[in-house]
Amino acid sequence: MNIMDFNVKKLAADAGTFLSRAVQFTEEKLGQAEKTELDAHLENLLSKAECTKLWTEKIMKQTEVLLQPNPNARIEEFVYEKLDRKAPSRMNNPELLGQYMIDAGNEFGPGTAYGNALIKCGETQKRIGTADRELIQTSAINFLTPLRNFIEGDYKTITKERKLLQNKRLDLDAAKTRLKKAKVAEARAAQLNTSQPEENNIMIWAEEVTKSEQEVRITQSEFDRQAEITRLLLEGISSTHAHHLRCLNDFVEAQMTYYAQCYQYMLDLQKQLGSFPSTFLSNNNQSSTTPVQSVATPSVLASASASLPSVSNSVVTSGISELKSSSGSRKARVLYDYDAANSSELSLLADEVITVYSIAGMDSDWLMGERGNQKGKVPITYLELLN
């Protein structure tokens, strides 16, 4: 029975406190009650914490989208994570594309040029898929997990303590309001002290003022204590920024490793396959009058040339100028594969040696090439003139 009485009293006290806070909050919104303002330093810390939380959430969500563009896959991973179970392993997009290419290459025949190229491309795509998995795993551990820990851990604690601070402030302002009302009532009673009952009334209000002053001192002390706790937590945001900076560096290093691997894989693949700009043109049935050199971009040629023995630009330029100004011919080594776009051009194989010469009216980027009974236009950028 005593325990029940205690619970009822506690429930009544909590209800009274809640009602007092609600009244104080409403009167503040209506401009009918004064509000204790937080000091400027604490307000700045609160603003910094809110800003950190907002942008951390945005960066975290967009990083998840970057690493896993498929929303269904993200939802599945989230569900398995909440169930504390490991998500089933599935091939990612590069791996799936690579497998399709390999299967197609085997179907067309590994001995054919197209089938062999598909198999090589497929193997490279699968290697890129493996690098992609490593990027996702490293980024999740070193970058996403610390950000998520801040949102779900540190910031939740800050939010809880900030809510307690708000409640302590409402209790303090409500106590101040009651003290103010008690003093006003006491002053009015003092003006009407002509009879004995009125003197008793003065004593009642004097006791109420004393009680209210004691309540203000208690609530002020609790508010100051909670403000200090909240301030200490908020000052930890600077440490959070420093930690997130280290995590960001780890994420950048992971991306750098991933893109470097992908670049190297594609560079190796390009060496194996050669350059195929003209094939794309002929496959798309575009006009044979379209300049082939416009498709082979300078960046592709530059990267391919970077992996091959360097040739002096001055020697090449002077040799070609001499060849164009004369009626003679020269031997030239083919730097990398080239597929003719039409019947007027000559297909080339890397490292073969052909005869080249110039004819009147030919474009400055082209020469005529001969290999036995075959002849046709060849791009200068694919050749190295021999002495």
Side-chain angles (χ1 to χ4, degrees):
M1 189 67 179
N2 292 335
I3 295 177
M4 183 176 293
D5 290 342
F6 173 77
N7 290 337
V8 171
K9 290 179 180 179
K10 185 176 184 302
L11 180 63
D14 291 343
T17 301
F18 176 79
L19 180 61
S20 174
R21 291 170 181 169
V23 170
Q24 178 66 28
F25 183 79
T26 303
E27 289 181 348
E28 287 176 0
K29 290 297 181 182
L30 297 176
Q32 298 175 356
E34 295 181 358
K35 175 183 177 181
T36 299
E37 299 293 342
L38 302 177
D39 64 81
H41 178 60
L42 188 56
E43 287 285 5
N44 290 335
L45 291 175
L46 287 170
S47 177
K48 184 178 181 180
E50 289 178 356
C51 184
T52 301
K53 183 254 186 182
L54 173 65
W55 286 110
T56 299
E57 280 185 332
K58 289 185 176 182
I59 292 172
M60 183 178 69
K61 290 179 180 178
Q62 194 57 39
T63 303
E64 291 173 344
V65 172
L66 173 68
L67 297 177
Q68 178 50 270
N70 188 339
N72 293 329
R74 290 201 305 274
I75 293 174
E76 181 184 53
E77 291 172 359
F78 175 79
V79 171
Y80 275 100
E81 181 182 349
K82 292 302 179 183
L83 295 176
D84 198 20
R85 294 176 58 187
K86 185 178 180 181
S89 179
R90 292 189 176 89
M91 298 178 73
N92 55 29
N93 290 333
E95 290 173 331
L96 192 59
L97 174 60
Q99 190 60 52
Y100 286 164
M101 286 183 170
I102 292 174
D103 292 343
N106 289 325
E107 184 74 19
F108 297 146
T112 65
Y114 184 43
N116 186 39
L118 279 172
I119 292 174
K120 290 179 179 178
C121 289
E123 291 171 348
T124 299
Q125 289 296 331
K126 295 188 80 169
R127 285 197 290 270
I128 290 175
T130 301
D132 189 62
R133 288 183 182 276
E134 293 174 355
L135 171 65
I136 292 175
Q137 182 179 8
T138 303
S139 300
I141 295 173
N142 296 336
F143 187 59
L144 288 177
T145 297
L147 297 187
R148 188 175 291 108
N149 288 341
F150 168 73
I151 296 297
E152 298 179 356
D154 295 349
Y155 192 78
K156 279 191 175 181
T157 302
I158 290 174
T159 302
K160 177 182 176 182
E161 296 301 329
R162 183 180 180 180
K163 184 177 180 181
L164 286 174
L165 178 63
Q166 172 74 349
N167 289 337
K168 296 301 182 183
R169 186 196 62 76
L170 289 172
D171 292 342
L172 173 61
D173 288 338
K176 289 179 177 179
T177 300
R178 285 191 292 271
L179 175 60
K180 184 178 180 180
K181 290 180 179 178
K183 286 184 176 181
V184 170
E186 182 186 29
R188 288 179 180 175
Q191 294 176 356
L192 303 172
N193 57 354
T194 55
S195 61
Q196 186 66 28
E198 292 297 338
E199 291 179 3
N200 292 336
N201 198 19
I202 293 175
M203 293 179 62
I204 293 173
W205 284 114
E207 292 176 358
E208 186 66 25
V209 169
T210 302
K211 180 181 176 181
S212 297
E213 288 175 343
Q214 178 67 17
E215 184 181 6
V216 168
R217 284 193 293 271
I218 294 173
T219 53
Q220 182 70 59
S221 175
E222 292 177 350
F223 171 76
D224 292 341
R225 177 177 175 276
Q226 186 58 41
E228 181 64 17
I229 293 173
T230 306
R231 183 185 63 79
L232 291 174
L233 283 173
L234 291 172
E235 287 178 346
I237 292 293
S238 297
S239 299
T240 298
H241 284 190
H243 179 51
H244 287 182
L245 174 59
R246 293 192 295 271
C247 297
L248 181 61
N249 287 332
D250 292 339
F251 178 56
V252 171
E253 288 184 5
Q255 282 188 305
M256 182 181 65
T257 301
Y258 168 71
Y259 290 120
Q261 286 177 326
C262 292
Y263 172 76
Q264 188 60 50
Y265 293 154
M266 298 310 296
L267 195 62
D268 294 341
L269 178 62
Q270 186 186 49
K271 291 179 182 179
Q272 296 178 53
L273 299 182
S275 182
F276 291 94
S278 58
T279 302
F280 301 147
L281 286 177
S282 60
N283 286 344
N284 290 333
N285 295 322
Q286 294 186 11
S287 171
S288 60
T289 59
T290 304
V292 176
Q293 61 271 26
S294 65
V295 179
T297 61
S299 59
V300 173
L301 297 178
S303 62
S305 300
S307 63
L308 297 166
S310 61
V311 181
S312 171
N313 290 334
S314 60
V315 173
V316 172
T317 303
S318 61
I320 291 175
S321 298
E322 292 175 2
L323 182 61
K324 285 184 173 292
S325 62
S326 68
S327 58
S329 62
R330 292 276 297 273
K331 293 292 185 180
R333 184 174 69 86
V334 178
L335 296 176
Y336 30 88
D337 295 350
Y338 176 77
D339 287 339
N342 51 63
S343 59
S344 68
E345 298 177 7
L346 179 66
S347 295
L348 304 173
L349 294 175
D351 293 328
E352 71 172 328
V353 177
I354 63 173
T355 301
V356 294
Y357 57 91
S358 179
I359 60 176
M362 177 170 285
D363 189 288
S364 60
D365 293 331
W366 296 79
L367 290 172
M368 287 299 294
E370 285 188 2
R371 183 200 307 112
N373 295 328
Q374 297 176 324
K375 67 178 181 178
K377 295 191 300 181
V378 293
I380 290 175
T381 53
Y382 284 64
L383 303 174
E384 176 187 7
L385 293 179
L386 302 177
N387 294 327

